Amino acid sequence: MAIRERLSGNEAVAYAMKQINPDVVAAFPITPSTEIPQYFSAYVANGEVNTEFIPVESEHSAMSACIGAQAAGGRAMTATSANGLALMWEMLYIASGARLPIVMACVNRALSGPINIHNDHSDSMGARDSGWIQLYSESSQEAYDNMLMAHRIAEHPDVLLPVMVCQDGFITSHAIENIELLEDEKVKEFVGEYKPAHYLLNKENPIAIGPLDHFTHYFEHKRQQAEAMRNAKKVILEVADEFYKLTGRKYGYFEEYKTDDAEVCIVVLNSTAGTAKFVVDKMREEGKKVGLVKPRVFRPFPAPEIAGALARFKAVAVMDKADSFNAAGGPLFTEITSAVLAHGATGPKFINYIYGLGGRDVKADDIEFIYNKLLEIAAPGKVDSIYNYIGVRE
Amino acid sequence: MAYNFKEVARKPERFTGGHRMCAGCGAPVVIRQILRALKPEDHAVISAATGCLEVSTFLYPYSAWKDSFIHSAFENAAATISGAEAAYNGMRRRGKLDQEGETKFIAFGGDGGTYDIGIQALSGAMERGHDMVYVCYDNGAYMNTGIQRSSATPMFADTTTSPVGRESQGKNQRKKDLTEIMVNHHIPYVAQTAAIGNLKDLYEKAEKAIYTKGPAFLNVLAPCPRGWRYEASDLMQINKLAVDTCFWPLYEVVEGKYTVNYKPKNKLPVVEFLKAQGRFRHLFKKGNEELLDMIQKEVDRRWERLLSLEASN
């Protein structure tokens, strides 16, 4: 029987890490992810795990130590937020380039400057092209589940890529919610042992990692990395299927909520999807045909699948909790609209709303406003503004 | 066992020929000798900072390293190896590594990757107490990118970012004393050495560093023929002059106790070291005698200070 508990997102992630019991955890304090290494070091102090915990002097060294540990043959994990992720930037690319299946908990927080400790997605969105698989989580339950699935995806021989499990800082990381946990033994069996084919500590077959790679080979290596990301699409679904059989909780590339007969749809990541579901329910009672699509997998980007899912709506609003500062639209919006165009879905009209930067509250009213805007466009009306902001004084 | 150069030199090579370091470069001599101090039954995991050593010894698909090797970036050789060492401890505790002999962890970085951009990762790893050796091969500038000044560049050296010009006599600042910074981390073993004579000092310090439990730091002089501007065949002479002028004293600090390993009977004036190198040529122009005098005073001050630290053990 599953264990019923009440945990915050950070506790849920730390608990997953305890059950996974990796060989090495290297982390540095930063709000709001810092509770994760705090909980974890208590597990170490109490002998509940036998992991080597490295209290590094920076996030750059956290990722560097994870790279050293994973290359050595161990399972390595870390957690960070915002500027911590930014300080790791250089090493994120090296971790994925070296094909090291490290797993990171990213507790989303706004990037400086100006400094702000609250939630938006500017940190992980900035890292979207670093070669990491990115899984997003609406609740502490999803953060926990994604953590349990992360190693299986990362370590698959056709993938061998690092995974970042994202959840919203404070909103999810610090709010206590009901959660269903798996028994330790079930987690152990599901996650399995890490058995790399090649690793530094194998004395019988020493290896070298991280060469100078000229134009004679670099491109082939990057092409292989791109292929691994394509392979990840299949593996993510296979692992989700196995997880469903174990828990009854179903995961795919994205979740659709009340989309069957919907005319208009909002696409939004993480905790805001929870608020949007509340609004969908309310507006459905009023007879309005509104629905929601919540992407879980942002890297690899499920382009044909999401384009296919959105093709049937009359109007779609993509909500971005990060701005691209490109004078064109947020990262989720530009990614979705290019997928839609490339895959020939010409039906829906698309608009973009940037919301919630630096932790600005997004209220049910804001989301209802966007749905009403979409219904207006679907009427049919015309799109008067593609790239918009909501909840900001301007 | 007394040091026997011939026996040591006959040990199997762990750093093979065919790498692309320059003729007359001090670094490969240092690396080979340090790796000879490993027991044959022991395996090593080696990390290197980005720099000449890394780009010249591991060009895909060739590696000059017989042991396991990892390069990840410029500033993090110490952090990277600390992760590998932690994995070793974690995996051994779980019985995942059933291998004979021990695995030793050694990081190599140039002065740029150690004194400058890598000092934070180095300091962190040393303070955390990993069982590892960090070796800085100090050639006194960013040689890999084309001889830019570092905090290890000696005063008045001509480099591409501290060039001699109408208003400049080369680098205008003193050389950072990294060995002393590492001593002040209160780690079990810190030494400064160079490849001189039959390489005994270097070998013995490498052996102590590798087989001392806990963090150890070696600062090794590694002249660069391109940056220092000397003939490739003069490498060993340059090393000897650095030591005989006390520009680069050989000493070690074991659990805080200083030993100066070599006190030249005839301490040569520093100009003997300087005039052998093109990077100091401008100092020998008429009117620059004062600058030479400043360098001599600085060398003397640091040497006297070192002797007094040894005396006050």
Side-chain angles (χ1 to χ4, degrees):
Chain A
M1 269 303 285
I3 306 152
R4 291 190 178 279
E5 253 295 2
R6 287 174 301 278
L7 297 178
S8 71
N10 278 343
E11 283 175 309
V13 161
Y15 197 81
M17 288 168 71
K18 182 179 95 157
Q19 294 183 305
I20 292 161
N21 195 6
D23 297 290
V24 173
V25 169
F28 185 80
I30 186 165
T31 303
S33 66
T34 198
E35 285 184 334
I36 296 168
Q38 279 171 227
Y39 290 125
F40 198 83
S41 29
Y43 297 141
V44 174
N46 295 324
E48 291 176 84
V49 291
N50 57 2
T51 304
E52 282 285 311
F53 179 71
I54 317 180
V56 281
E57 84 299 332
S58 70
E59 290 90 352
H60 193 282
S61 284
M63 188 43 60
S64 302
C66 283
I67 286 169
Q70 194 83 36
R75 205 175 242 158
M77 301 182 82
T78 188
T80 196
S81 296
N83 296 42
L85 187 65
L87 190 54
M88 288 181 182
W89 228 257
E90 179 192 28
M91 304 318 298
L92 295 179
Y93 284 77
I94 292 168
S96 59
R99 307 293 300 280
L100 296 170
I102 297 161
V103 172
M104 179 205 301
C106 175
V107 183
N108 289 116
R109 161 184 155 182
L111 271 179
S112 300
I115 190 168
N116 173 296
I117 60 165
H118 302 286
N119 169 248
D120 71 30
H121 301 154
S122 50
D123 50 3
S124 61
M125 278 298 156
R128 65 191 181 273
D129 291 342
S130 64
W132 283 60
I133 290 168
Q134 290 191 339
L135 306 178
Y136 285 81
S137 324
E138 181 185 327
S139 60
S140 52
Q141 181 74 63
E142 291 190 7
Y144 173 77
D145 292 350
N146 280 333
M147 285 301 279
L148 297 187
M149 284 184 268
H151 291 280
R152 292 288 306 279
I153 298 163
E155 294 165 9
H156 192 287
D158 296 339
V159 178
L160 294 176
L161 288 173
V163 174
M164 193 182 293
V165 173
C166 304
Q167 62 167 305
D168 282 346
F170 292 113
I171 301 167
T172 309
S173 71
H174 284 62
I176 293 165
E177 292 181 292
N178 290 327
I179 189 168
E180 247 184 47
L181 303 169
L182 280 176
E183 292 85 350
D184 292 353
E185 280 312 304
K186 281 190 182 166
V187 171
K188 205 176 162 188
E189 198 188 333
F190 179 78
V191 176
E193 263 200 58
Y194 178 50
K195 287 178 186 155
H198 304 285
Y199 54 103
L200 294 171
L201 289 173
N202 185 358
K203 187 183 178 181
E204 305 311 316
N205 185 18
I207 57 165
I209 295 179
L212 173 62
D213 206 23
H214 280 305
F215 43 73
T216 50
H217 294 90
Y218 180 91
F219 201 173
E220 281 72 23
H221 291 145
K222 287 292 155 187
R223 179 65 189 83
Q224 288 172 352
Q225 191 183 326
E227 195 61 21
M229 193 56 98
R230 292 179 189 206
N231 294 342
K233 282 189 69 179
K234 184 165 166 273
V235 173
I236 286 166
L237 294 186
E238 284 168 4
V239 173
D241 192 47
E242 219 181 296
F243 191 78
Y244 170 66
K245 283 173 188 144
L246 182 68
T247 64
R249 292 192 289 278
K250 207 163 197 164
Y251 289 95
Y253 297 137
F254 46 85
E255 181 194 335
E256 295 192 46
Y257 188 74
K258 303 199 174 169
T259 50
D260 280 351
D261 62 340
E263 288 181 359
V264 302
C265 175
I266 281 179
V267 183
V268 73
L269 293 167
N270 277 7
S271 66
T272 308
T275 317
K277 285 173 182 172
F278 168 80
V279 176
V280 168
D281 291 347
K282 178 176 170 275
M283 294 182 77
R284 283 271 169 185
E285 278 175 24
E286 297 161 6
K288 291 175 180 162
K289 292 184 174 172
V290 297
L292 174 77
V293 167
K294 178 191 76 180
R296 166 182 175 241
V297 181
F298 186 70
R299 285 290 180 271
F301 192 70
E305 293 82 1
I306 213 157
L310 299 177
R312 64 183 190 275
F313 305 119
K314 289 181 180 161
V316 176
V318 180
M319 292 179 68
D320 268 291
K321 214 170 188 178
D323 205 340
S324 273
F325 305 106
N326 58 2
L332 188 59
F333 175 74
T334 49
E335 199 94 21
I336 283 178
T337 46
S338 53
V340 163
L341 179 67
H343 294 277
T346 51
K349 298 255 189 287
F350 279 89
I351 54 170
N352 184 205
Y353 278 94
I354 308 290
Y355 76 100
L357 300 191
R360 175 70 51 86
D361 263 350
V362 60
K363 301 181 189 90
D365 287 354
D366 298 327
I367 293 170
E368 192 170 350
F369 171 85
I370 294 171
Y371 275 123
N372 283 326
K373 190 86 191 164
L374 287 172
L375 291 166
E376 233 177 83
I377 292 168
K382 64 178 194 6
V383 175
D384 48 15
S385 169
I386 295 172
Y387 179 22
N388 311 283
Y389 293 81
I390 192 152
V392 69
R393 295 184 291 271
E394 50 182 343
Chain B
M1 199 174 63
Y3 177 80
N4 182 316
F5 182 47
K6 281 184 183 165
E7 272 175 30
V8 166
R10 274 199 292 266
K11 283 175 132 181
E13 288 288 354
R14 306 178 83 127
F15 180 70
T16 67
H19 62 72
R20 301 183 190 183
M21 299 291 271
C22 300
C25 168
V29 179
V30 167
I31 308 303
R32 275 173 85 195
Q33 186 70 354
I34 287 173
L35 296 184
R36 281 172 179 147
L38 280 160
K39 291 177 191 161
E41 65 272 27
D42 289 347
H43 172 226
V45 175
I46 294 158
S47 78
T50 311
C52 288
L53 179 69
E54 187 275 324
V55 302
S56 305
T57 62
F58 184 22
L59 293 88
Y60 189 85
Y62 306 108
S63 172
W65 305 86
K66 292 276 190 186
D67 289 282
S68 292
F69 178 85
I70 180 165
H71 156 255
S72 66
F74 194 0
E75 66 280 56
N76 63 351
T80 305
I81 204 76
S82 80
E85 187 259 1
Y88 178 64
N89 295 333
M91 289 167 72
R92 267 223 304 199
R93 192 163 54 226
R94 294 164 179 209
K96 281 195 197 171
L97 289 171
D98 186 22
Q99 299 177 151
E100 295 209 355
E102 280 189 86
T103 299
K104 294 297 177 184
F105 298 87
I106 307 170
F108 291 105
D111 51 287
T114 310
Y115 284 69
D116 287 353
I117 196 169
I119 195 169
Q120 174 182 318
L122 170 65
S123 176
M126 293 285 116
E127 182 273 333
R128 292 193 300 272
H130 298 278
D131 189 10
M132 61 175 273
V133 184
Y134 191 102
V135 180
C136 175
Y137 68 98
D138 180 354
N139 53 29
Y142 292 84
M143 299 311 185
N144 188 44
T145 41
I147 320 165
Q148 292 84 18
R149 60 91 81 190
S150 77
S151 63
T153 303
M155 203 168 190
F156 301 133
D158 182 24
T159 76
T160 58
T161 52
S162 63
V164 173
R166 276 191 299 276
E167 303 291 334
S168 162
Q169 297 289 357
K171 186 189 171 187
N172 204 25
Q173 297 83 16
R174 294 173 185 182
K175 181 183 172 82
K176 187 192 279 182
D177 193 339
L178 183 65
T179 309
E180 283 305 299
I181 293 170
M182 297 323 295
V183 169
N184 281 285
H185 280 64
H186 300 279
I187 55 177
Y189 189 75
V190 175
Q192 188 163 289
T193 178
I196 60 161
N198 64 1
L199 312 182
K200 178 175 183 276
D201 191 79
L202 176 58
Y203 181 88
E204 289 181 345
K205 285 174 178 168
E207 195 176 38
K208 279 187 205 169
I210 295 168
Y211 290 101
T212 295
K213 186 88 187 142
F217 177 80
L218 293 179
N219 205 357
V220 193
L221 192 72
C224 168
R226 299 277 297 112
W228 295 19
R229 285 180 260 150
Y230 60 83
E231 289 300 320
S233 55
D234 291 343
L235 168 64
M236 299 310 276
Q237 180 60 19
I238 298 278
N239 273 329
K240 184 84 169 72
L241 285 168
V243 173
D244 279 337
T245 57
C246 298
F247 169 82
W248 187 262
L250 306 184
Y251 71 104
E252 62 190 342
V253 184
V254 184
E255 297 292 357
K257 192 171 179 296
Y258 281 77
T259 304
V260 180
N261 306 98
Y262 177 73
K263 291 169 189 160
K265 283 195 189 76
N266 175 26
K267 178 170 171 277
L268 297 177
V270 75
V271 290
E272 297 299 317
F273 173 65
L274 303 178
K275 75 183 182 192
Q277 304 168 52
R279 63 176 171 159
F280 296 115
R281 187 168 297 140
H282 58 288
L283 298 179
F284 295 91
K285 281 187 192 154
K286 211 170 161 47
N288 278 347
E289 296 78 7
E290 195 189 337
L291 304 182
L292 289 171
D293 193 43
M294 279 172 74
I295 295 175
Q296 184 64 58
K297 282 194 170 124
E298 183 65 12
V299 167
D300 293 345
R301 186 183 71 79
R302 293 191 185 198
W303 174 245
E304 292 304 323
R305 184 176 171 276
L306 182 62
L307 294 176
S308 73
L309 284 167
E310 184 192 39
S312 66
N313 271 327

